[in-house]
Amino acid sequence: MPFIPHTEQETAQMLDAIGVQNIEQLFDEIPQALRAKGLGDIPAGLNELEVTRLINQRARQDQPLICFAGAGAYEHHIPAAVWELATRGEFYTAYTPYQAEASQGTLQLLYEYQTMMSNLMAMDVSNASLYDGASALAEAVLMAVRANRKSKSKRILMSTTVHPNYRRVVKNIVSNQGIELVELDYCTECGQIVVDSLAQYEGKDYAALVIPQPNFFGSLEQVDQLTDWAHRNEMLVIGVVNPMAMAVIVPPGEWGEQGADIACGEGQPLGIPLSWGGPFYGFIACKQKQVRQLPGRIVGRTVDLDGMRGFVLTLQAREQHIRRSKATSNICTNQGLMITASTIYMSLMGAEGLERTAMLCHANTAILVEQLIAIDGVEKLFDAPCFHEAVIRLNQPVVPVLSKLAEAGYLGGFELADDYAELNNTLLVCATEMRHRDEIVAFSQAFAQALR
Amino acid sequence: MPFIPHTEQETAQMLDAIGVQNIEQLFDEIPQALRAKGLGDIPAGLNELEVTRLINQRARQDQPLICFAGAGAYEHHIPAAVWELATRGEFYTAYTPYQAEASQGTLQLLYEYQTMMSNLMAMDVSNASLYDGASALAEAVLMAVRANRKSKSKRILMSTTVHPNYRRVVKNIVSNQGIELVELDYCTECGQIVVDSLAQYEGKDYAALVIPQPNFFGSLEQVDQLTDWAHRNEMLVIGVVNPMAMAVIVPPGEWGEQGADIACGEGQPLGIPLSWGGPFYGFIACKQKQVRQLPGRIVGRTVDLDGMRGFVLTLQAREQHIRRSKATSNICTNQGLMITASTIYMSLMGAEGLERTAMLCHANTAILVEQLIAIDGVEKLFDAPCFHEAVIRLNQPVVPVLSKLAEAGYLGGFELADDYAELNNTLLVCATEMRHRDEIVAFSQAFAQALR
Amino acid sequence: MLIFEQSKANRFNRAQQPGEAVDLNKIPTEFRRQQSAEMPAVSELQAVRHYTRLSQKNFSIDTHFYPLGSCTMKYNPRACNSLAMQANFLGHHPLTPASHGQGFLQCVYELQEILKEATGMKGVSMQPMAGAQGEFAGLAMIRAYHDTRGDEGRTEILCPDAAHGTNPATAIMCGYTVCEIPTGDDGDVDLEALKAVVGPQTAGIMLTNPSTLGVFDRNIKEIANVVHAAGGLLYYDGANLNAILGKVKPGDMGFDVIHINLHKTFSTPHGGGGPGSGPVGVGERLLPFMPVPVVAKTDSNYRWLTEKDAPQSIGRLSANMGNSGIVLRAYIYARMLGREGMERVADYATLNANYLMVKLIEAGFEVALPERRATHEFIVTLKKLTKETGVSAMDVAKRLLDYGYHAPTTYFPLIVPECLLIEPTETESKEEIDGFVAALLAVKQEAYEDPDKVKSAPHTLPVKRLDDVRAARKPDLRWQATEKQKG
Amino acid sequence: MLIFEQSKANRFNRAQQPGEAVDLNKIPTEFRRQQSAEMPAVSELQAVRHYTRLSQKNFSIDTHFYPLGSCTMKYNPRACNSLAMQANFLGHHPLTPASHGQGFLQCVYELQEILKEATGMKGVSMQPMAGAQGEFAGLAMIRAYHDTRGDEGRTEILCPDAAHGTNPATAIMCGYTVCEIPTGDDGDVDLEALKAVVGPQTAGIMLTNPSTLGVFDRNIKEIANVVHAAGGLLYYDGANLNAILGKVKPGDMGFDVIHINLHKTFSTPHGGGGPGSGPVGVGERLLPFMPVPVVAKTDSNYRWLTEKDAPQSIGRLSANMGNSGIVLRAYIYARMLGREGMERVADYATLNANYLMVKLIEAGFEVALPERRATHEFIVTLKKLTKETGVSAMDVAKRLLDYGYHAPTTYFPLIVPECLLIEPTETESKEEIDGFVAALLAVKQEAYEDPDKVKSAPHTLPVKRLDDVRAARKPDLRWQATEKQKG
Ligand SMILES: Cc1ncc(COP(=O)(O)O)c(C=O)c1O
Ligand SMILES: Cc1ncc(COP(=O)(O)O)c(C=O)c1O
């Protein structure tokens, strides 16, 4: 049996010590009628050689496409050291650091992560991870409803420029508690929310306004005006942001007069591979005064019996294992290993590395868009400034074009029409720092070809 | 600059402390006339993203062929744990354990390796590695010349069934010391050395006889008879063996009445990837009484000040860093990391795992040969029993056949004619446990195709 | 030292930086960050050395016996990691068309099938990213089910008092109220109490079986009948599936919906707190409500089913398809085990737990339910020790660390005083278990002979006993540039 | 515990075993092993845990400052490892035809070119598997050169007394006798002494420059002239190339043949003792004798040159092409550095060494050659300390371990009493160097105040001071099944 160390003799000794004849007897409290008749449909076991052959063959089948898609998941360079360190057994096979003294590695790392993420967001505190960007936004919404003492409405203003799947997830999660999401239309010319269009919501009771930065179209929102508008109307502000962008773009903590109240988003751009969409991680950060509403694990610094610095899980009274039905969230297992990787990533990149990477993504996307709109039948859609994604409109349906590009080895972008009926024949494209100029040129040629 | 941590300010502080204006001044003892004019021909540096792109592209160019070749390097399954552990920084970036107390990890592992290798060879002691199988045989020959007090001849009987490259390497190394290699012919029918043919060498002075097991043709030599013959003639016996085969085949320590005196060979089959031929490692083991003639690092058990067990490099008086020109060898840096991997490999496999693997290699090769000789124009050449390689003869030149097979995605084997003029149109083939039966069948079909 | 304390202004790790600092010329200054975020500025070697050394401060499965009850800290085969981390898996954007991802989709599909067979459910979705999110998906499906039938007024979820904290927390998150059911003295749910509270307001019950007390609830069929009769549904918290794999299936016990913790039973890594994966399985009735996406197979073609294909679905709970890479690891593990291997998991997890329990009883420890079989775990209560020596379960836990063993789960379930919940798992050897018994016995002796030594433990770890209270009273959650102090 | 001590008869690690035990029916019993080799019989978890824990007992670059003189313990970029360990490189049998290995061959070829440029040599072969084998190849070429010219009677190799042990050992291995040349008080080779011994019997001289004393021999041109005039050739031991990369080239100094330690200057891993790689470079005269195989380029096609292409070659020294995987790592490293990066290596290696030397002098340590510039390393002699306190260089080295620093090289070169050869390398930060100075100073103070503490160091490592003498007197080189004792 793989992974079971017992010799027959030991098994016999152990049964003997217990005082039973065989292992079967240990299951004698299970009503006989319920006993399973085996696991017949499951294939027989494979040894490592065999499973390696199988999985390698599956992997070979799936050669990745050269990626010009973003839409919430971004291909960035990940230094080799990141995963060589993160998969060290001591990180990989530990669990939630319940025994702090035996988990100082993970705990200190999480404290460092909280610092890095708070700094990147210009917020006071960060937790130690949520599941992913979408569920983090759901938690942020729940948190805002709890935290906004002035609001009784359980209503949230949600920009339609937020990732469509994020909006779905938030709805799927929070509507069970009777929270209502009111969707804000964006300006179809500029591809962002225009503050002037919000007059209709003034003076009504909303718990929070959700602002994406950059938004799903890659456009930069006018976060200062939006934040101030929301605060004037006694809403909290939730920023849902791309952390890589925050290296060069005004971070949530600095939006408007007072800054956003909650910052959250998808941590994947910071050292996490695309990996078919997961595991990624959600981050969430807030102002000091809301820390006790923050969901999830939080690590704090303290001292030991000798007065030496050490780290522990703290503020656990917010959590399900202590507070049960009164917890701020049900989250227990989070995305720890991803944080390990992300923390190492940020350490290796430093502020300068993140900034240069962000800038190069921006520049590459600008070149990409330039090349694409030079093609007959392609135009750029919105005029708000972009970070590293942009929407283009084709003179023909998108699906066949994407198929042809896939055949040519490219992931050509994200078709928007499914989620935005008004955006027929449009495509969201992206070129991170990973895309060499030559690749962008070759892609543009393939694109022109596919349009013919 | 990659990998240099100094800030400009620190550099300035350091220069200041030294009392120089700039770094250049630190090189002022180098005669000006000799100063280099730069490294103009070397390309500019790449960051990790760029070098990753470059190397991945080189790697993609070189899809490995499905391997039916052995000839000294064998594709075996390597458990994932082997290299995940061996490349841990603590193993990967330590050096020779000169400071024993700070190197107990490496030292204990080497002691465990010495035990495993001695046991596998049924010899008393093993060193902690030499460069590779070929150079290990050269060291074994030098050792035998030193160790055989009865012989004055500096002549060695070397079977021509030893790997041709090993024979070349041995010659290239030992002939500088005036050692002469006398090559023994093999029996062209059975593909092994026949003891009866050795009468001509009796009563003459040879320091040692080198016996391969299995030999280069994959055939098993009559090691008992050969060993006893050599000992009767006051030669030492050097066995050069495949360690995987030793799991199921009589090991050198048990050859004949007294066993071989020195066992050596290539450690690659024990957990080391093919990797274009290196790094592999050479092993060497001997009887207790010759231990002070053994070249290379040796780890010994001892105690610390508290009487607790610990491990140190020992018998260093044999080595170049102590004995300089009187050392048993010039070897210093050896193949430590490969030993780390190999030790973990053997621990994960256990005796049973090695035996089953060896058996499956044998069985697969038997099937392979069966399938191949069923093809018109292919016959098996030798009738000695084989381990996991065999020689076949084709009815046509081998080179074009190998080219066609390579086009079909196969490494078809090793052509013998270059090294053995009498073996025209012959091919040495191998199928390890890695070859699925389906692959063997498909290969045989491709082979038949290529012969047409 | 924190990584920030090794930081130096203007230190760059050039190998990781794009050479040219491109200008953000297309972005108006009002959008641009004015001051760089404070991040570590260290060399690559400094970072590598720092995190290598930090890692060594952890206990982990790869370094220590880790009998953390309810968490199933078993061996994580390294092959599951290295095979899942191949470039061809890691390189796939979630938008990759199914045509270019048949290899991956087949793995997901086959794991869905394996989990169905292992649990006796009719459908499985990999969407939830951990157990608690699986619970959420389950309750959301229960809600959707009642709603669809127009069965209103079912506002309450029943939970045993021994339940894991995620259960009641999830119920609240899903808009329910929680009604706690007491546990009987024999460790099974108090059936009479259950009958007393079940009613038309009952949306469902959340149960772990084997329970968090480490026993198999023998009345499970009756519980199912009672709840079903009242119109409620049964949710199975699969955290303890390791104990019964191949022995009894949640579907056969009468559960309508379940989650499975892949990071427990299917040995995906715990990663210092995650990522997990909490697939949900459903019976016939809840099939239409399963979260999307799931993988379907038509002929030999695999594809994603999404909201469009499943209009009654509770939808998605992650932006993508959940923790794919974890699903892949679980699939590899499941294929290595195969059907016989899975049954052996339950066999040996149970053997190890019962053996360890018996040995501890022999050593004079009091177990919570001595008349019952242990499942894959069991509870020791130290209330006598605490009373006699002042040494608490927490103290014992800390002292065990000095002996080189990770502590069991402490103070959970909440209903047993001074308890240790001990789960050895099937991958630990008899020698390791014997060593653990000896250590626990040694600590017990110390508690009587030198209680202060135990109360001030640990003594040999990188830090001494840490002050939790201080941490919570004056939360210091982030390093501030101004301090620059050493430690 | 040794892995053997965790072994249990009949324990199998099934995941790693072919399922069927095939019969060796084609092999007559006389050839078959009768009794299984004694090997560990442990579970996969036991093995993983054992070797993970063992690894933690090592000091290494990734965990500690490691200023081991002459060894260049610099940061090994992890990318060099992970890129070189891709399946498409690891999967190649050495017999792969060049047509299917152009990617790999190009890497080797380009590294040959890079090394030629870096050293000023005319040809480079990657064949030797470490420095010592490079030395062997070099001397074998010198021998072949003289032989080819019929220049007989050149039987002697000159070596400075400060030379690394491999140099004289190699000379002997190559069939030469060795003549030692003394070092002058200023650290350069004693030129008069050299002139006195050079002659028609001189085959060549082996020199390290910078020397193992950490200084650059200023008379190198003159040495070259003297030896060349006598008909001898000059061998350059490239172990110290890190100090002069881009500053001065061995070819320009007059060397005819050199080796380069890729595991030093080109940052391939030291791996607990190897594998290294010791490419040789040659000037015009020795080109025909280079070991094979080397990679040649015709148009844009790469191929191996073997004995057939190079009939005068000294041939091969390994069964294949040397340590390919190491060559690949060095190539990746070289490409990351590029030309500017390489010069910076010498700059900062030298800056660090000189700064450290100055700081130690300030702290009251005696350096062997205070009047000289340090190169990338330098020597401290503790003979005064030893005389005054009885604390030896070895004791200081051991005590440094307690402070978290790997010790410098001790007692080498042999000509300086109680010496520490200290090489910080360019990848260590000023902070790390300052910390090291503080530690060495603290140890010095301890030596005066509490010499026994230093003499009995280390105190905080997994073992206390180990008894080398006992190990050598009663060699115990292998665990024997009969003992089964613990430890
Ligand atoms: C009994 C029980 N239920 C639920 C959970 C929650 O699972 P997760 O941590 O994966 O969210 C856990 C584990 O933490 C558990 O032990
Ligand atoms: C000066 C010097 N020469 C030669 C060598 C031998 O090199 P290697 O250990 O690679 O054989 C070394 C290193 O060990 C050295 O320091």
Side-chain angles (χ1 to χ4, degrees), chain B residues 133-367:
Chain B
S135 58
L137 180 55
E139 292 277 12
V141 164
L142 294 175
M143 178 177 166
V145 170
R146 285 193 303 272
N148 192 342
R149 300 272 159 82
K150 295 187 189 132
S151 163
K152 319 220 128 48
S153 78
K154 288 191 159 195
R155 284 190 308 172
I156 299 283
L157 284 181
M158 171 75 81
S159 170
T160 47
T161 59
V162 169
H163 192 310
N165 273 355
Y166 284 32
R167 286 183 279 136
R168 290 190 181 95
V169 169
V170 174
K171 183 155 164 292
N172 295 339
I173 292 177
V174 307
S175 60
N176 289 297
Q177 289 189 40
I179 294 169
E180 190 192 338
L181 303 174
V182 178
E183 298 211 325
L184 298 182
D185 288 337
Y186 65 93
C187 155
T188 50
E189 237 127 84
C190 54
Q192 42 172 211
I193 311 168
V194 178
V195 184
D196 296 346
S197 73
L198 300 179
Q200 51 176 310
Y201 305 104
E202 280 174 22
K204 304 204 179 122
D205 179 8
Y206 295 97
L209 166 66
V210 178
I211 310 173
Q213 184 74 324
N215 69 23
F216 189 63
F217 305 136
S219 307
L220 295 173
E221 298 281 0
Q222 296 178 344
V223 292
D224 294 333
Q225 294 91 316
L226 291 168
T227 300
D228 290 341
W229 176 85
H231 282 155
R232 274 200 309 278
N233 288 282
E234 300 198 326
M235 303 171 200
L236 295 185
V237 170
I238 300 171
V240 49
V241 304
N242 179 324
M244 179 64 82
M246 293 306 107
V248 293
I249 301 292
V250 180
E254 295 171 3
W255 292 356
E257 302 277 308
Q258 302 162 41
D261 301 280
I262 303 172
C264 66
E266 175 53 65
Q268 179 274 331
L270 302 175
I272 312 301
L274 289 172
S275 187
W276 284 106
F280 294 173
Y281 74 89
F283 63 86
I284 188 165
C286 69
K287 295 290 173 66
Q288 187 64 46
K289 66 169 188 247
Q290 255 114 41
V291 63
R292 279 166 212 271
Q293 294 302 338
L294 201 58
R297 309 283 182 206
I298 300 178
V299 172
R301 185 167 90 172
T302 186
V303 294
D304 73 2
L305 281 180
D306 292 346
M308 299 294 291
R309 180 167 70 183
F311 304 90
V312 294
L313 289 177
T314 194
L315 302 180
Q316 299 191 64
R318 300 164 301 106
E319 291 192 71
Q320 43 72 29
H321 63 289
I322 304 290
R323 276 281 279 276
R324 304 175 69 82
S325 63
K326 299 199 178 51
T328 52
S329 165
N330 68 339
I331 194 167
C332 174
T333 297
N334 51 34
Q335 305 286 112
L337 192 68
M338 303 296 119
I339 299 304
T340 306
S342 227
T343 305
I344 300 170
Y345 175 82
M346 288 190 270
S347 299
L348 286 169
M349 300 301 284
E352 176 104 3
L354 293 176
E355 288 165 20
R356 288 192 177 195
T357 300
M359 289 174 192
L360 191 50
C361 292
H362 174 72
N364 277 349
T365 299
I367 293 170

Side-chain angles (χ1 to χ4, degrees), chain A residues 48 92, chain B residues 79-81 84, chain C residues 77-86 329 332:
Chain A
E48 190 182 305
Y92 190 76
Chain B
E84 293 222 350
Chain C
R78 299 305 293 188
C80 299
N81 179 52
S82 59
L83 291 173
M85 287 200 77
Q86 302 191 54
R329 283 169 172 79
I332 298 166

Side-chain angles (χ1 to χ4, degrees), chain A residues 172-247:
Chain A
N172 295 339
I173 291 176
V174 308
S175 60
N176 289 295
Q177 289 188 42
I179 295 169
E180 193 192 335
L181 303 174
V182 178
E183 298 212 323
L184 298 182
D185 289 337
Y186 64 93
C187 156
T188 49
E189 237 126 85
C190 54
Q192 40 170 215
I193 312 168
V194 178
V195 183
D196 296 346
S197 72
L198 300 178
Q200 50 175 314
Y201 304 105
E202 280 173 21
K204 305 209 179 117
D205 181 7
Y206 296 97
L209 167 67
V210 177
I211 311 173
Q213 185 74 325
N215 71 22
F216 189 62
F217 306 135
S219 307
L220 294 173
E221 298 280 1
Q222 296 177 344
V223 292
D224 294 334
Q225 294 90 317
L226 291 168
T227 300
D228 291 342
W229 176 87
H231 282 155
R232 274 198 309 277
N233 288 283
E234 301 199 327
M235 304 170 199
L236 295 184
V237 170
I238 300 173
V240 50
V241 304
N242 179 325
M244 179 63 83
M246 293 306 107

Side-chain angles (χ1 to χ4, degrees), chain C residues 332-452:
Chain C
I332 298 166
Y333 178 73
R335 292 302 306 267
M336 289 184 87
L337 287 188
R339 52 175 174 269
E340 324 83 357
M342 282 192 203
E343 292 191 41
R344 295 295 180 142
V345 162
D347 282 341
Y348 285 86
T350 304
L351 177 67
N352 274 358
N354 279 281
Y355 173 74
L356 177 50
M357 179 170 82
V358 164
K359 284 286 167 186
L360 287 178
I361 293 172
E362 273 177 38
F365 285 92
E366 186 183 345
V367 305
L369 296 164
E371 305 300 312
R372 302 290 307 269
R373 291 268 185 241
T375 55
H376 61 308
E377 62 189 356
F378 63 95
I379 296 174
V380 163
T381 168
L382 299 173
K383 62 172 189 281
K384 182 156 158 284
L385 185 84
T386 307
K387 220 171 95 195
E388 292 176 1
T389 66
V391 166
S392 68
M394 184 58 81
D395 297 329
V396 170
K398 297 296 181 200
R399 185 63 182 145
L400 269 175
L401 305 176
D402 282 328
Y403 282 83
Y405 295 98
H406 195 281
T409 297
T410 53
Y411 300 102
F412 174 75
L414 307 175
I415 57 174
V416 183
E418 298 299 330
C419 72
L420 301 176
L421 178 59
I422 309 178
E423 180 182 10
T425 86
E426 74 279 7
T427 61
E428 295 292 342
S429 67
K430 178 172 175 297
E431 295 96 305
E432 202 72 60
I433 295 174
D434 289 338
F436 179 72
V437 172
L440 210 45
L441 190 56
V443 175
K444 194 176 99 184
Q445 270 157 11
E446 286 178 336
Y448 284 98
E449 288 159 15
D450 186 359
D452 283 345

Side-chain angles (χ1 to χ4, degrees), chain B residues 95 131 332-333, chain D residues 70 130-132 135 164 166-167 208 212 237 239 259 261 263-264:
Chain B
Y95 197 24
Y131 299 129
C332 174
T333 297
Chain D
S70 204
E135 296 172 24
H164 193 260
T166 50
N167 296 7
T208 321
T212 59
D237 173 342
H259 85 256
N261 301 65
H263 46 301
K264 298 181 180 179

